[in-house]
Amino acid sequence: MPSLKDIKKRIVSVKNTSQITKAMKMVSAAKLRKAQEAVVAARPYAEKVQDVISSLALREDADAHPLLGARGKNRALVVLMTSDRGLCGGFNSSITKTVEQFVRKNTEGYEAIDLMVVGRKGKELLKRRLGDSFVNVHENLSGNINYATAQLLGQEVVDGFVSETYGAVYLIYNAFKSAMTQIVTIDQLLPVVPKECDENTLVADYIYEPSQGDVLDQLLPKYVEVKIFKGLLESVASEHGSRMSAMDSASKNASEMIGKLTLQYNRLRQAAITKELMEIISGSESIKG
Amino acid sequence: MAEKLQLEMVTPYRKVLSEQVDEVTAPGTVGEFGLLPGHTPLLTTLNIGELSYVQDGTISHVAVNWGYVEVENNTVTVLVETAELADQIDLERARKALGRAEEALKTLDSDDKQFKIMEAALQRAMIRIQVAGRGH
């Protein structure tokens, strides 16, 4: 049976925790708004690039450019995006779970699957089970996402593909739907997937300037960068959204807990008073008698 | 002219333009080119330079960084890394960048990796100043 003092102490500590979770929720809400704006602003560009590239991939033969066709090497690279900090609900675990499933499902298809991890949490969560397959870990990116970061990552991916280290590259990240919902998405980065559309709408004679090869050379790495950029932005927005809802429910749980503890505290206090009264009365009764 | 071109200009950070225009002139890698309604499908890369478009008789200028243009069905899609309209350019900053780039270029060797980067920076700054000059 806890004493009155113990319960009081617990109430204070739960209150402190709830103050922290409330503050974190507010911070995440503010950051979420900014991240969300960035995602929305980046979408038109990403969509346009995607449109251009996929119609391009449809028109061209797979051997027109190294990034369009599957390479000989049967090795895959998975780029996964997690957060650097914890306390954001199921954000990181859902990603790592998907990655694990993906790796297990595809072990037969590929001779090896390497992982390129963005975010400290992803590294920590997967180190024990899949640590051997890490090729590169990028930490502390999520603070300021800019296009240059994506270019850096994109370069790495493209180099790996062109040098025939990898036959396929996948991107696994949390797509941002709303503050409450994030959807774990598996995207094939390379080789480029052609868009589905019917043959009639295709324009046969496209003019390329300066030449088809040059245009493809510049465009395709861009495509990878843009995809990664969009993934990073979505991932950051999802992280904040996820943390916001996690902290919201933590705050709710804390206030519920405080209510329960206060009830218990009051009951105990009342019992103590009643007990004291009984003692006094029975004492005076016995003197009287 | 009844037919118009739909000009869409986007950067990774935002959508810059979405307008109905009569004519577009863009700095292609192999030289400046003009686009009119009814142009054949085209895909080309852009240099750092000045893109201008005519809308109801008035010309507007935009400073663009590396990117590319796709033309299809009278829709001109311009995808660039940065794009600044004439009135958005910070002339002071552009002048400073120009000075910095010039300084750096004096000290660097022409086969240095940095040389190309600074050269591009110089070009960007010059274009900015040029475009800003036209806006006023």
Side-chain angles (χ1 to χ4, degrees), chain A residues 236-257:
Chain A
V236 169
S238 301
E239 178 195 339
H240 291 311
S242 182
R243 177 169 298 123
M244 195 179 85
S245 42
M247 286 302 117
D248 186 47
S249 63
S251 305
K252 263 190 209 134
N253 288 344
S255 57
E256 203 177 291
M257 183 93 140

Side-chain angles (χ1 to χ4, degrees), chain A residues 43 96 126 128 134 142 158 165 205 234-235 240 242 261:
Chain A
R43 267 184 194 156
T96 49
L126 286 172
R128 229 171 339 127
F134 285 177
S142 56
V158 170
T165 315
D205 48 345
E234 298 238 2
S235 169
H240 291 311
S242 182
L261 284 172

Side-chain angles (χ1 to χ4, degrees), chain A residues 80 82-84 117-123 137-140:
Chain A
L80 62 131
T82 58
S83 69
D84 284 324
V117 185
V118 177
R120 192 167 58 86
K121 282 282 153 187
K123 181 188 84 178
V137 179
H138 299 270
E139 291 180 35
N140 302 323

Side-chain angles (χ1 to χ4, degrees), chain A residues 38 41-42 44-45 48-49 52-53 55-56 59 145-148 151 201 203 205-210 214-215 218-219 222 225 229, chain B residues 8 10-15 28-31 33 39-46 66-68 70-73 77-81:
Chain A
Y45 188 81
K48 283 269 151 51
V49 172
V52 172
I53 296 287
S55 66
L56 198 80
R59 273 196 304 275
I145 301 291
N146 52 32
Y147 197 70
Q151 267 174 329
T201 57
V203 188
D205 48 345
Y206 237 77
I207 303 176
Y208 293 98
E209 262 181 34
D214 288 342
V215 171
Q218 296 205 30
L219 267 185
K222 183 110 288 187
E225 283 165 17
F229 183 59
Chain B
E8 305 264 353
V10 281
T11 72
Y13 299 103
R14 70 204 172 91
K15 195 165 193 160
T29 325
V30 285
F33 60 93
H39 200 283
T40 180
L42 166 77
L43 187 66
T44 180
T45 48
L46 289 183
W66 192 94
Y68 58 94
E70 190 199 35
V71 186
E72 203 173 5
N73 296 331
T77 313
V78 183
L79 293 150
V80 281
E81 278 178 11

Side-chain angles (χ1 to χ4, degrees), chain A residues 176-187:
Chain A
F176 182 79
K177 266 270 160 340
S178 73
M180 303 306 247
T181 30
Q182 295 85 34
I183 298 160
V184 178
T185 311
I186 304 177
D187 246 351

